[in-house]
């Protein structure tokens, strides 16, 4: 099976981390499937270095913004690329606009902001309402188009299924993996807090987090 991974949404944070780790992990499986990865030469140059030698890079010239450029690409050029490469399955690592996919289609749901109560964003809730007006409906249509929608937890699955009216047969929960680096023992160093209690947050700084 020829599988195309659309990684265009990986710009910062967790999306980039996911791509850097999932590609080598898929390659280590030594499966009989052939993987190709779709990346932009404009803003994903560093991610191209993470592609294992046996995977095919599909390099395109696409800017990070505005998002409508990416959406237009996904409706026009992406189907042509898939037909030319004889792709059997498209895997999108995050929600976007996919209306014309000429193959089996799997999309991962990761953007909590599309589904969470707007009150969770505090003073930014009106900005979030505007954000959803432009993004939520295309994602809703794409989920209906998808053969499978992957979720990172059961709680997130329940929340999205309810808000997007997703057919229960489509959803699958696949937890994120844990890098081997987290099992390594760090060397003993002097505490930056001089032994006092502290709280560590590893997320981006935003109202909902």
């Amino acid at each position: 099976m020829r599988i195309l991974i659309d990684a265009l949404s990986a710009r910062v944070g967790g999306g980039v981390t996911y791509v850097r780790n999932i590609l080598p992990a898929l390659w280590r499986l030594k499966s009989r499937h052939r993987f190709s990865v779709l990346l932009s030469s404009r803003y994903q140059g560093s991610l191209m270095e993470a592609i294992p030698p046996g995977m095919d890079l599909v390099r395109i010239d696409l800017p990070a913004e505005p998002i409508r450029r990416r959406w237009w690409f996904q409706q026009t050029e992406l189907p042509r690329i898939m037909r030319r490469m004889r792709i059997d399955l498209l895997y999108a690592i995050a929600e976007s606009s996919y209306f014309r996919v000429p193959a089996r289609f799997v999309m991962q749901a990761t953007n909590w902001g599309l589904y969470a109560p707007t009150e969770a964003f505090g003073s930014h809730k009106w900005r979030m309402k505007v954000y959803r007006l432009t993004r939520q409906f295309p994602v809703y249509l794409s989920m209906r188009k998808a053969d499978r929608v992957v979720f990172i937890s059961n709680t997130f699955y329940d929340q999205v299924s309810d808000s997007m009216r997703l057919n229960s047969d489509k959803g699958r929960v696949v937890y994120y993996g844990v890098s081997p680096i987290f099992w390594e023992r760090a060397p003993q160093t002097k505490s930056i807090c001089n032994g006092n209690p502290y709280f560590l947050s590893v997320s981006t700084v935003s109202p909902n987090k």
Side-chain angles (χ1 to χ4, degrees):
M1 180 181 291
R2 298 202 63 171
I3 301 173
L4 177 62
I5 301 173
D6 182 358
L8 292 174
S9 61
R11 296 174 52 193
V12 295
V16 173
T17 301
Y18 180 79
V19 173
R20 285 190 180 279
N21 286 275
I22 194 66
L23 298 184
L26 288 171
W27 179 243
R28 285 194 296 270
L29 291 176
K30 302 296 183 183
S31 73
R32 54 187 173 82
H33 304 306
R34 182 173 178 179
F35 294 94
S36 302
V37 187
L38 185 66
L39 292 171
S40 171
S41 58
R42 296 270 196 105
Y43 61 95
Q44 294 179 304
S46 62
L47 274 180
M48 294 178 182
E49 302 170 0
I51 297 180
M55 287 190 177
D56 301 322
L57 169 63
V58 182
R59 186 196 307 258
I60 62 169
D61 183 23
L62 191 71
E65 295 290 347
I67 193 173
R68 63 177 177 270
R69 291 280 300 276
R70 192 192 332 153
W71 284 1
W72 179 251
F73 168 84
Q74 288 165 338
Q75 315 319 316
T76 57
E77 187 62 25
L78 178 59
R80 287 194 285 267
I81 291 174
M82 292 180 64
R83 291 190 182 97
R84 185 173 68 249
M85 297 180 62
R86 298 183 180 180
I87 297 298
D88 300 301
L89 184 145
L90 173 68
Y91 176 48
I93 67 165
E95 305 95 330
S96 194
S97 178
Y98 299 94
F99 305 150
R100 302 176 63 238
V101 180
R104 302 294 293 235
F105 174 37
V106 177
M107 183 171 70
Q108 183 167 251
T110 61
N111 190 352
W112 185 76
L114 285 171
Y115 323 101
T118 53
E119 289 74 17
F121 296 88
S123 61
H124 298 271
K125 66 179 181 180
W126 292 109
R127 184 188 304 171
M128 183 53 62
K129 287 179 183 291
V130 173
Y131 171 84
R132 289 186 180 183
L133 284 175
T134 60
R135 303 205 181 194
Q136 197 173 54
F137 189 62
V139 169
Y140 169 77
L141 294 178
S142 299
M143 282 188 173
R144 299 188 73 83
K145 172 74 175 176
D147 296 284
R148 291 286 184 270
V149 181
V150 177
F151 300 88
I152 60 175
S153 72
N154 284 298
T155 301
F156 192 43
Y157 175 29
D158 293 339
Q159 182 181 17
V160 176
S161 298
D162 182 58
S163 63
M164 302 297 275
R165 301 177 183 177
L166 183 67
N167 187 326
S168 60
D169 294 336
K170 285 190 176 186
R172 296 291 187 275
V173 175
V174 180
Y175 294 101
Y176 284 153
V178 179
S179 170
I181 194 174
F182 291 103
W183 299 103
E184 298 176 6
R185 182 178 295 276
Q188 294 293 327
T189 58
K190 184 178 180 181
S191 172
I192 60 173
C193 298
N194 297 319
N196 297 319
Y198 63 92
F199 181 82
L200 172 66
S201 174
V202 295
S203 71
T204 55
V205 179
S206 59
N208 59 302
K209 294 184 179 181

